[in-house]
Amino acid sequence: MSRIGRPRIVLAISLAAILLLVSAFVPAMNITHAAPGDVTLVKSGRVASDSLTTGNTTSWTFGGEATILPGAKFTHSEDAQGLHIGVQAGAPSQWTGFYAVTQNTSASLFHAFITLPYTSMPKGEEYNTGLYVQTSNKHMINYIGCLAVAFDGGPYFWTVNHSFGPADQTTTIETLYQSTGTMPLAQDCTIITNGNNFLKVYLGGQVVVNKDNLTLSIPPPFNAYLEVETTSTSAMRNGTYTDYYAALGEDVVVSGAPPGGKVQIEDSSGGVLVSSTANITGVATLNVGQLQLPLSGYFIRVYDVDGTLIGSTPSAVTVWGGDVYTVSTV
């Protein structure tokens, strides 16, 4: 019998054995890859939230000049359409206000959806409605206001003011923003401030003020006001508010990420809402201030520099500005 072909058979058997060993070894190598770790909430940024549509106003205190000025009238109510505040001046050209105010708060981000019911006012009358962030210090009246304004002749406009003065009297008003052209009659306003030098205001989701070199002199803790002011004697002038919330800030901070890696807020299908790159210490900052909070039904996911998923919230979470998360890898 010829043995010429035998070495080839032995070689083929040897190669088959090697392939079998390799194929058996590869799954074991796959098992050693680390599974994605958990991204867990360390601190919530939520301070307060109120849809202003439930009829329950127990978390608010109501007051204003209308309660003491002769002839002035005021009203407030809440229903499925929002919190309604109304005021009527008791004398011509006399500014009269009525408001809802929060308790003292540690928040630095404040939001409300404000509806302006009027495009103009009768001759000689003025009106404004808005969200205010004011110091709780009773010896000063320093505040930031995000307002919608209507007056005789029009057109109506939106404005951001910095106002200050002693006790209960505003002596100086600085206009930091005033709209031009046609604007919505109803829109979101978000005020973010440290009360010292920094102020950022979103109107309708767009930044209209962003300064870090101001002299605000609004020492915390703060109070948030929803207020209507008017000189109108001809009728009760109303304002409507919904979706109030307050948070610790506009950023979501995630620590423990790989430097240079991506941290993202994603929906259930992987669509990216916000993305940020982790710095050299592994901290990523995701800005959500321009969005309507909270963000519900989202995942926070962390990726290595090569795009490998290394961490995720185990399930969908509710995200607030000021939230702090950390990544625990396994």
Side-chain angles (χ1 to χ4, degrees), residues 126-150:
E126 298 180 67
Y127 165 96
N128 64 64
T129 178
L131 167 67
Y132 299 81
V133 176
Q134 181 171 314
T135 179
S136 60
N137 188 320
K138 301 305 180 184
H139 300 293
M140 57 182 69
I141 196 172
N142 301 5
Y143 63 81
I144 297 296
C146 178
L147 316 174
V149 179

Side-chain angles (χ1 to χ4, degrees), residues 117-181:
Y118 317 105
T119 57
S120 64
M121 296 293 289
K123 185 176 180 179
E125 296 187 347
E126 298 180 67
Y127 165 96
N128 64 64
T129 178
L131 167 67
Y132 299 81
V133 176
Q134 181 171 314
T135 179
S136 60
N137 188 320
K138 301 305 180 184
H139 300 293
M140 57 182 69
I141 196 172
N142 301 5
Y143 63 81
I144 297 296
C146 178
L147 316 174
V149 179
F151 60 100
D152 61 334
Y156 67 91
F157 61 90
W158 293 78
T159 185
V160 176
N161 294 332
H162 171 219
S163 303
F164 51 95
D168 59 354
Q169 183 178 4
T170 298
T171 57
T172 303
I173 299 177
E174 297 178 331
T175 299
L176 302 176
Y177 164 81
Q178 184 167 314
S179 66
T180 58

Side-chain angles (χ1 to χ4, degrees), residues 44-47 106-111 189-194 198-203 205-212 245-254 265 273-276 284-295 300 319-325:
S44 173
R46 179 190 178 277
V47 176
S106 60
S108 62
L109 179 151
F110 302 85
H111 169 276
C189 184
T190 304
I191 299 173
I192 307 161
T193 187
N194 60 8
F198 175 74
L199 174 66
K200 191 173 187 178
V201 179
Y202 293 94
L203 192 58
Q206 303 298 314
V207 176
V208 295
V209 177
N210 188 10
K211 295 179 178 292
D212 61 3
Y245 57 78
L248 293 178
E250 68 169 335
D251 296 326
V252 175
V253 176
V254 180
I265 299 176
L273 183 66
V274 184
S275 180
S276 177
T285 302
L286 300 106
N287 188 300
V288 297
Q290 77 278 19
L291 304 172
Q292 187 171 3
L293 301 177
L295 305 175
I300 297 179
V319 179
W320 289 93
D323 281 353
V324 178
Y325 287 83

Side-chain angles (χ1 to χ4, degrees), residues 204-270:
Q206 303 298 314
V207 176
V208 295
V209 177
N210 188 10
K211 295 179 178 292
D212 61 3
N213 59 351
L214 298 172
T215 303
L216 297 173
S217 300
I218 306 175
F222 305 128
N223 301 120
Y225 289 75
L226 302 172
E227 184 170 10
V228 172
E229 294 180 308
T230 189
T231 62
S232 176
T233 58
S234 62
M236 182 76 71
R237 301 300 176 181
N238 299 290
T240 299
Y241 313 89
T242 57
D243 195 22
Y244 169 80
Y245 57 78
L248 293 178
E250 68 169 335
D251 296 326
V252 175
V253 176
V254 180
S255 64
K262 290 287 187 183
V263 179
Q264 299 182 162
I265 299 176
E266 302 179 1
D267 61 25
S268 58
S269 62

